[in-house]
């Protein structure tokens, strides 16, 4: 079992579809269904018992703690985010709520769960956080590609959060 967040969005939904096309390991999919989330992205999984969809917020610690205890995932992949640059300039509050506070609360809930696991499961456990290359700023056409060692130069509340 893995826990995917934001799995009704653009990248998360494609990840869930690809995952279940390739392996039989079930997915709990936690998504708030904001304007960016669309259950139609997952329509082909209707009736598939390997896909458990839960509508909720990654910042809801009681909910994430409950899901972790109930489903005991071996990994968490966090795609849940506010991700539209223009919206972040006009209304940054939701970006702080989800990308900063929500991610922090999810990390804390997962750390609490992880600390209860036996050593071998602890070692094998993974938390994958999906971010954006925009944290490094912008590239001119002739610039070399970003590397993880680049300095952060975010240009919007989206990329800063
Ligand atoms: N789309 C791109 O081109 C691109 C490129 C680089 C990186 N990324 C990163 O990939 C990640 C996913 O991007 P995307 O394009 O799929 O985004 P998206 O906006 O299409 O989807 C985000 C999903 O997260 C859900 N969500 C939002 N707030 C939530 C919350 N508080 N709790 C639970 N679910 C919540 C939304 O309902 C939606 O389904 C983001 O971190 C983004 O920065 C995207």
């Amino acid at each position: 079992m893995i826990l995917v967040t934001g799995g009704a969005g653009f990248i998360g939904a494609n990840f869930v579809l690809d995952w279940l096309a390739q392996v039989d390991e079930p997915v709990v999919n936690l998504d708030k269904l904001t304007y960016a989330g669309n259950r139609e992205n997952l329509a082909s999984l209707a009736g598939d018992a390997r896909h458990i969809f839960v509508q909720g917020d990654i910042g809801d610690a009681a909910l994430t703690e409950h899901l972790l205890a109930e489903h005991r995932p071996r990994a968490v992949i966090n795609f849940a985010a506010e991700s539209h640059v223009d919206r972040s300039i006009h209304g940054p509050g939701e970006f702080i709520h989800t990308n900063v506070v929500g991610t922090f609360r999810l990390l804390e809930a997962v750390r609490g769960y992880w600390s209860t696991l036996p050593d071998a499961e602890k070692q094998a456990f993974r938390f994958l956080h999906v971010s954006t290359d925009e944290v490094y700023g912008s590239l001119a056409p002739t610039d070399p590609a970003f590397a993880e060692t680049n300095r952060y130069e975010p240009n919007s509340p989206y990329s800063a959060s």
Side-chain angles (χ1 to χ4, degrees):
M1 174 69 77
I2 62 169
L3 171 63
V4 170
T5 68
F10 174 50
I11 298 184
N14 280 291
F15 175 87
V16 170
L17 294 174
D18 269 8
W19 178 269
L20 290 174
Q22 290 179 41
V23 290
D24 264 336
E25 188 171 4
V27 176
V28 179
N29 185 353
L30 172 64
D31 195 296
K32 191 176 175 181
L33 292 181
T34 68
Y35 63 90
N38 186 354
R39 288 216 55 182
E40 279 302 303
N41 292 338
L42 303 159
S44 62
L45 296 177
D48 189 328
R50 299 172 304 163
H51 179 238
I52 300 163
F53 186 83
V54 178
Q55 183 172 4
D57 193 320
I58 57 165
D60 181 345
L63 173 63
T64 53
E65 284 165 11
H66 170 78
L67 290 175
L68 291 162
E70 182 181 358
H71 296 289
R72 307 196 62 75
R74 69 176 181 89
V76 175
I77 308 179
N78 183 27
F79 295 99
E82 287 290 331
S83 71
H84 294 193
V85 176
D86 291 353
R87 293 181 81 105
S88 81
I89 292 164
H90 295 297
E94 282 302 307
F95 288 72
I96 303 302
H97 172 83
T98 289
N99 300 358
V100 179
V101 179
T103 301
F104 169 71
R105 290 199 183 138
L106 178 64
L107 279 165
E108 284 290 275
V110 173
R111 188 166 62 89
Y113 162 72
W114 176 84
S115 69
T116 68
L117 297 176
D119 280 349
E121 289 178 38
K122 261 189 189 148
Q123 289 288 332
F125 191 87
R126 292 291 180 274
F127 185 110
L128 298 183
H129 177 72
V130 178
S131 181
T132 171
D133 61 329
E134 289 190 43
V135 299
Y136 301 118
S138 303
L139 285 178
T142 54
D143 287 343
F146 291 127
E148 288 186 358
T149 49
N150 277 60
R151 198 174 66 179
Y152 289 150
E153 286 189 34
N155 290 322
S156 69
Y158 162 58
S159 48
S161 63

